[in-house]
Amino acid sequence: MTDTRDTRRRVKLYALNAERQWDDRGTGHVSSNYIDRLKGVSLLVRAETDGSLLLESKIQPDTAYQKQQDTLIVWSEGDNFDLALSFQEKAGCDEIWEKICQVQGKDPSVEVTQDIIEESEDERFDDISDHIPPIELPPCEIIHLEEIKEWTVSCLTSAMKKEKLTEAIENDCYIKKLINLFHICEDLNNIEGLHYLFDIFRNLILLNKNALFEVMFSDDLIFDVIGCLEYDPLSPEPKRHRQYLKNESKFKEVIPISNAELLAKIHQTHRVQYIQDVVLPAPSMFEDNMLSALSSFIFFNKVEIVTLIQEDEKFLPDLLSKLTDENTPETKRRDLILFLREYCNFSQTLQPHGKELFYKTLSSLGILPALEITLSSDDPQTKNASLDVLTYIVEFSPSVVREYTLTQVANTDDHDSMLINIIIEQVICDTDPELARAVQLMTNLRLLIDPENMLSIINKSEKTEFLTYFYKHSIHLLIAPLLANTVDDYPTRDDYQTVQLLALILELITFCVEHHTYHTKNIILNKDLLRRVLILMNSKHKFLVLCALRFMRKIIGLKDEFYSRYIIKGNLFKPVVDAFLNNNGRYNLLDSAIVEMFEFIKVEDMKSLIMYIVETFGKLLESVEYVQTFKMLRLKYNQHQDRLKDREKNSSSLDSVPSIMRPNRYRRDQRQLDEEEEMWFNEDDDFDEGEAVVPATNSSLINKKLNNELEAIGKNIDKKADANNAARLFGNNTKTSPTMNNNLAATGALSVTQVDNKCSVSLFKKALVDYEGDSDEEEDDENDILNPKRARFS
């Protein structure tokens, strides 16, 4: 059985950081012992997990300790290091408080053991030098309200006066007397007196004393305090805060709460938060720090609420069980998810370790299966609250969602009902003209597929397995609206909402191009995706045109020669050049973006693209003179041609010289491979098929083969119907699996005239088929169907 003393002395240790937020330093048990080394009685906190020492603090005779909310002791260690002990039970707090007061020779009935000094050195000297007698407040009567107001204002300027005023108010039960005056003034409609009471209670809150908060925010007085704060002298009409809190902001007990302490904390926190956010006027820059105790009051209340709910063995399981129950009415489900959103919001006060335990608890109880139901709800409130809960989870730990998805893969074949696909479906089906939910969902989706936040995961297979699943079962849903809208040479639909959705999709797949090189290459080639995206450059909405251009720019930025060949083969610069010429030299973002893309190609000396651009569009672009980019492209093209001519001359002069290369050379160093690869990409001369050439540089044969392969891909793309992609946008129920064929060389890749040098064949296949660092697990099943005996090269 657990010792009651252990429970009584159980505490959480907090330290105030530089951002004035409380950091959780751990949970343990506190004791007060005499330490010889420190020559005094000290507070010791040992961690309940391993017994390590979390705190060793000598009780100094002049340190100001404050007792707050019956379970908090707060003090400062040094000038800028505040500490707090939050006790599980009031009895334990009282025991330690009595020990502190005993060491300092103070009466345990006080809330603060020493005077807290916050003023400048001069004020501090004056306060210490001059003894301040106890404050005698005026009689609590209506005729003295103005005088009382002046007293409260005058005491705000001095820490010592604040202490004396707080002491006087506490000793005389002054707050209850003021509340009685408020009832009298309100009954008599004494507006002047009500205005004075507003200023008095506002100043009492600005005293920043937790002892006063405990009285003012108690259940029997808090509504009266809020009533006093309705009569702002600067407002022509009194506010209706009490009416709102009592009638419009009703508490709904979605799951019965048997813990009276928890229920009281929830009510109190809501009302005090309302006072801080709504009732009190916005503080000026000079008053901002004056409400630190009020913020701490709310902070510790939220921590306590989250802790009490987590410790309740029935509350959360019952809540999530009802949330997933098919028989739960929609209105009840809405109340449940709204409560859950508020609960997750309160959890933001927890420190990282506490948050981790919090989300692990929710995950183990089935929060993600519940979100699959509520995200698909037709009720906007339910959908929005579910989205907020999902955002809290994904932002803190996307791995929780990824692990759940991979578990689903092993247990179900219904991929449409899986959480990731539900998220994509909600993006596509968002009815909001501004797509607010779709934007938030896309942000979550981006976090889930971002490999950067997968690096620290212990389970190394998460990246491979999750991305493989995403590209096999989800990406086709995401790009379906894009493919459905680009069937012809112009966008099928160009209304604002559709364009907004396509821009969101383009932004995400542009991210994928940069971070998922292997997977996106398969999608782009199999779906002819770049050509389809460039159709959107005919849109009347310029931001969508720029999104399409950004997608192409990201692809070119990879400097992948195979992408370059794909662009050349499809003549995919034509839409870009057309948009550039139609812009007619106007100095705008589109003009700058296109010029920058050409400039990048020039600076990076991307030879194949330079030759293609100059030979295909040189005459159209040569008239552009306000930038030197196109002239420099022509210059680089001419330099490349000169090199090719020199190479031809050198080659013809060596025709009669016998080759000293071995016909079958299986090994070569990396430098030689790079040189031959360069020749492979740069050599554009057409050779007859039977002409003798050095095997390692047989560029005509390889170029011919590349053309055949790209043509085969084009035919394959044309044959594939996009009905499955259009289904979700236009209501087609046909379901087909996406095809991701990474085998760019057909089964007859090696059936051409035999090339003696096998390394050149390996180079060809390595450049067109396999990519270093890719896992066998990342290939689509269709590859095995089309080419089951395809060789693998490491």
Side-chain angles (χ1 to χ4, degrees):
M1 179 178 289
T2 304
D3 187 359
T4 56
R5 183 178 179 83
D6 290 342
T7 306
R8 191 167 61 248
R9 293 289 186 91
R10 189 168 183 262
V11 296
K12 275 186 175 293
L13 175 64
Y14 293 92
L16 199 65
N17 60 28
E19 287 76 32
R20 307 298 296 170
Q21 298 293 326
W22 289 101
D23 290 337
D24 187 350
R25 295 298 179 86
T27 302
H29 294 86
V30 65
S31 61
S32 56
N33 300 314
Y34 184 86
I35 305 298
D36 293 334
R37 177 169 49 82
L38 299 178
K39 292 184 171 52
V41 178
S42 302
L43 298 178
L44 305 176
V45 178
R46 295 193 177 275
E48 66 177 359
T49 54
D50 56 6
S52 60
L53 192 62
L54 299 179
L55 174 71
E56 183 181 73
S57 173
K58 181 181 177 182
I59 302 175
Q60 301 289 349
D62 55 350
T63 297
Y65 291 85
Q66 297 182 61
K67 185 181 177 186
Q68 301 178 5
Q69 301 183 42
D70 291 331
T71 56
L72 279 175
I73 297 177
V74 182
W75 75 98
S76 296
E77 293 270 345
D79 294 333
N80 297 305
F81 188 56
D82 293 345
L83 295 171
L85 290 177
S86 176
F87 288 78
Q88 181 172 329
E89 295 184 8
K90 179 179 181 296
C93 183
D94 292 339
E95 286 180 9
I96 297 300
W97 183 251
E98 288 177 6
K99 192 66 176 180
I100 292 171
C101 293
Q102 180 183 345
V103 172
Q104 293 195 343
K106 301 291 183 179
D107 185 351
S109 63
V110 301
E111 297 290 333
V112 181
T113 61
Q114 303 288 331
D115 293 332
I116 302 175
I117 301 171
E118 301 174 357
E119 297 79 27
S120 64
E121 292 297 327
D122 292 338
E123 291 174 325
R124 185 181 305 172
F125 179 80
D126 292 339
D127 284 338
I128 294 175
S129 301
D130 302 327
H131 175 68
I132 298 179
I135 291 177
E136 294 184 8
L137 290 169
C140 196
E141 299 173 359
I142 293 178
I143 59 173
H144 295 295
L145 282 175
E146 183 177 7
E147 186 180 355
I148 297 170
K149 170 199 159 185
E150 296 301 327
W151 264 105
T152 58
V153 171
S154 65
C155 291
L156 291 177
T157 59
S158 166
M160 292 295 294
K161 290 180 180 178
K162 283 183 183 181
E163 292 294 335
K164 295 296 182 181
L165 179 60
T166 302
E167 186 179 335
I169 291 172
E170 282 187 282
N171 293 339
D172 200 21
C173 298
Y174 213 74
I175 291 177
K176 289 187 177 181
K177 294 179 180 179
L178 289 171
I179 293 298
N180 290 333
L181 291 185
F182 165 70
H183 289 305
I184 295 172
C185 289
E186 199 168 39
D187 291 341
L188 298 175
N189 198 24
N190 185 343
I191 300 300
E192 183 182 19
L194 292 171
H195 286 170
Y196 286 137
L197 285 166
F198 171 89
D199 289 329
I200 290 169
F201 275 94
R202 178 176 179 272
N203 293 334
L204 292 181
I205 291 174
L206 291 178
L207 286 175
N208 207 31
K209 296 301 178 183
N210 197 75
L212 299 184
F213 293 157
E214 292 288 350
V215 177
M216 288 190 289
F217 301 151
S218 60
D219 288 343
D220 55 336
L221 293 183
I222 188 167
F223 275 107
D224 293 325
V225 173
I226 293 173
C228 294
L229 296 173
E230 290 180 348
Y231 294 93
D232 187 349
L234 301 179
S235 177
E237 294 291 332
K239 307 295 182 182
R240 293 289 180 263
H241 299 307
R242 286 172 292 178
Q243 179 180 341
Y244 173 80
L245 287 172
K246 289 180 179 179
N247 300 326
E248 299 178 40
S249 178
K250 289 185 176 179
F251 176 72
K252 294 182 179 180
E253 198 170 355
V254 293
I255 298 291
I257 299 176
S258 57
N259 189 331
E261 181 186 1
L262 171 60
L263 197 58
K265 283 291 178 185
I266 291 174
H267 284 305
Q268 185 187 58
T269 304
H270 172 68
R271 293 160 186 166
V272 177
Q273 187 81 62
Y274 183 84
I275 290 173
Q276 185 185 49
D277 296 340
V278 181
V279 177
L280 289 178
S284 69
M285 61 181 294
F286 301 106
E287 298 174 337
D288 194 29
N289 291 329
M290 298 181 74
L291 296 176
S292 60
L294 184 61
S295 298
S296 295
F297 186 94
I298 296 171
F299 172 87
F300 285 111
N301 266 18
K302 288 181 177 180
V303 171
E304 192 169 350
I305 289 170
V306 173
T307 303
L308 288 171
I309 291 177
Q310 277 186 287
E311 291 175 352
D312 192 315
E313 296 180 355
K314 291 187 61 180
F315 187 86
L316 284 177
D318 288 350
L319 187 148
L320 289 166
S321 175
K322 289 189 177 183
L323 200 58
T324 54
D325 189 349
E326 294 179 356
N327 299 321
T328 301
E330 193 60 37
T331 53
K332 180 69 173 179
R333 184 174 281 113
R334 179 183 60 205
D335 292 339
L336 289 167
I337 195 66
L338 287 172
F339 176 87
L340 197 57
R341 178 175 66 178
E342 191 72 10
Y343 181 50
C344 290
N345 181 37
F346 277 24
S347 74
Q348 302 309 297
T349 59
L350 300 175
Q351 296 305 312
H353 177 66
K355 280 186 184 179
E356 185 176 358
L357 293 175
F358 171 80
Y359 287 116
K360 279 185 177 179
T361 301
L362 283 184
S363 179
S364 65
L365 293 174
I367 180 63
L368 295 177
L371 290 178
E372 290 176 352
I373 298 173
T374 55
L375 276 172
S376 303
S377 172
D378 295 329
D379 181 68
Q381 281 186 285
T382 302
K383 194 185 294 286
N384 291 336
S386 305
L387 179 53
D388 289 339
V389 172
L390 177 66
T391 301
Y392 283 128
I393 296 172
V394 172
E395 286 182 348
F396 181 75
S397 179
S399 285
V400 171
V401 181
R402 287 195 285 262
E403 289 172 9
Y404 172 69
T405 301
L406 295 177
T407 303
Q408 281 185 303
V409 172
N411 298 327
T412 182
D413 294 328
D414 184 10
H415 298 290
D416 289 341
S417 65
M418 298 183 68
L419 181 58
I420 298 297
N421 290 347
I422 289 174
I423 291 173
I424 295 174
E425 182 182 2
Q426 292 303 311
V427 169
I428 295 172
C429 299
D430 191 3
T431 56
D432 181 11
E434 297 297 328
L435 298 183
R437 283 192 293 268
V439 171
Q440 191 173 350
L441 285 165
M442 274 296 198
T443 303
N444 291 333
L445 194 57
R446 179 168 175 164
L447 285 170
L448 290 174
I449 65 173
D450 187 356
E452 295 297 324
N453 60 43
M454 299 180 189
L455 296 179
S456 59
I457 303 303
I458 298 175
N459 181 8
K460 296 180 181 179
S461 66
E462 183 191 52
K463 179 177 178 181
T464 301
E465 292 179 6
F466 182 79
L467 291 181
T468 299
Y469 167 80
F470 177 76
Y471 279 92
K472 189 172 183 179
H473 297 292
S474 302
I475 191 70
H476 67 285
L477 299 176
L478 185 66
I479 63 176
L482 193 156
L483 296 177
N485 208 44
T486 54
V487 175
D488 302 318
D489 293 336
Y490 284 84
T492 306
R493 297 173 60 183
D494 207 28
D495 59 280
Y496 181 73
Q497 188 165 357
T498 300
V499 166
Q500 283 277 80
L501 175 61
L502 295 180
L504 281 175
I505 294 171
L506 272 176
E507 184 178 352
L508 189 67
I509 60 175
T510 301
F511 173 84
C512 293
V513 166
E514 182 179 6
H515 293 87
H516 309 154
T517 310
Y518 165 77
H519 291 286
T520 46
K521 181 175 288 186
N522 284 327
I523 288 293
I524 289 171
L525 295 178
N526 282 306
K527 300 294 184 183
D528 199 15
L529 192 59
L530 179 56
R531 183 182 66 80
R532 303 292 284 270
V533 167
L534 291 175
I535 291 173
L536 300 177
M537 295 196 71
N538 295 315
S539 171
K540 65 183 179 183
H541 298 276
K542 294 303 179 186
F543 71 89
L544 182 62
V545 175
L546 288 168
C547 285
L549 187 65
R550 190 181 305 118
F551 179 71
M552 185 177 187
R553 173 64 177 82
K554 188 64 71 175
I555 288 175
I556 291 174
L558 296 176
K559 297 186 288 186
D560 188 322
E561 188 62 27
F562 192 78
Y563 273 135
S564 298
R565 295 288 184 183
Y566 164 66
I567 290 170
I568 295 167
K569 185 67 181 176
N571 192 23
L572 298 183
F573 257 94
K574 185 178 184 304
V576 178
V577 173
D578 288 345
F580 182 66
L581 296 177
N582 291 336
N583 193 53
N584 201 25
R586 286 191 291 271
Y587 185 59
N588 55 22
L589 191 56
L590 178 62
D591 181 86
S592 299
I594 294 176
V595 170
E596 189 277 334
M597 187 160 65
F598 284 113
E599 184 70 21
F600 177 83
I601 293 170
K602 181 204 76 176
V603 171
E604 296 297 328
D605 197 17
M606 302 176 70
K607 298 179 179 61
S608 55
L609 288 183
I610 290 173
M611 295 178 69
Y612 157 66
I613 291 168
V614 173
E615 290 176 357
T616 310
F617 308 106
K619 291 184 179 180
L620 294 173
L621 298 173
E622 63 184 5
S623 61
V624 179
E625 296 182 347
Y626 59 88
V627 290
Q628 298 299 308
T629 301
F630 302 106
K631 288 185 178 179
M632 296 302 296
L633 281 172
R634 171 70 71 175
L635 178 61
K636 280 190 173 289
Y637 172 79
N638 292 335
Q639 292 172 350
H640 295 162
Q641 292 299 100
D642 291 341
R643 291 194 195 100
L644 290 175
K645 290 177 182 178
D646 292 342
R647 190 178 301 163
E648 287 178 7
K649 292 178 182 179
N650 294 334
S651 177
S652 60
S653 64
L654 294 174
D655 281 345
S656 59
V657 180
S659 174
I660 63 172
M661 295 178 63
R662 288 180 291 172
N664 293 293
R665 180 162 52 85
Y666 291 91
R667 299 185 63 181
R668 64 186 71 188
D669 59 39
Q670 186 63 39
R671 177 184 57 79
Q672 190 170 11
L673 178 65
D674 292 342
E675 291 172 355
E676 292 178 4
E677 193 172 9
E678 180 82 357
M679 294 174 69
W680 187 84
F681 286 132
N682 289 333
E683 186 61 63
D684 288 326
D685 293 338
D686 293 327
F687 295 93
D688 292 332
E689 189 169 341
E691 186 174 351
V693 218
V694 176
T697 58
N698 189 352
S699 62
S700 66
L701 194 60
I702 294 174
N703 277 327
K704 183 176 292 185
K705 186 158 200 53
L706 174 61
N707 291 337
N708 292 336
E709 295 305 329
L710 287 172
E711 287 174 6
I713 293 171
K715 291 177 182 178
N716 189 31
I717 293 168
D718 294 336
K719 290 179 182 178
K720 290 179 183 177
D722 286 326
N724 61 317
N725 295 331
R728 292 185 177 273
L729 196 64
F730 297 106
N732 190 340
N733 293 325
T734 305
K735 295 182 181 179
T736 58
S737 299
T739 300
M740 299 198 305
N741 181 12
N742 125 36
N743 183 8
L744 302 182
T747 56
L750 296 179
S751 65
V752 296
T753 304
Q754 181 64 37
V755 180
D756 289 337
N757 190 327
K758 295 183 179 179
C759 286
S760 65
V761 179
S762 176
L763 169 64
F764 167 66
K765 292 200 60 125
K766 193 175 189 67
L768 297 184
V769 182
D770 296 313
Y771 308 98
E772 289 188 289
D774 292 329
S775 170
D776 292 344
E777 296 175 2
E778 296 175 327
E779 298 181 9
D780 193 86
D781 295 339
E782 188 176 339
N783 294 342
D784 299 327
I785 297 172
L786 293 178
N787 190 7
K789 296 182 180 180
R790 170 167 68 90
R792 296 293 301 178
F793 294 86
S794 59

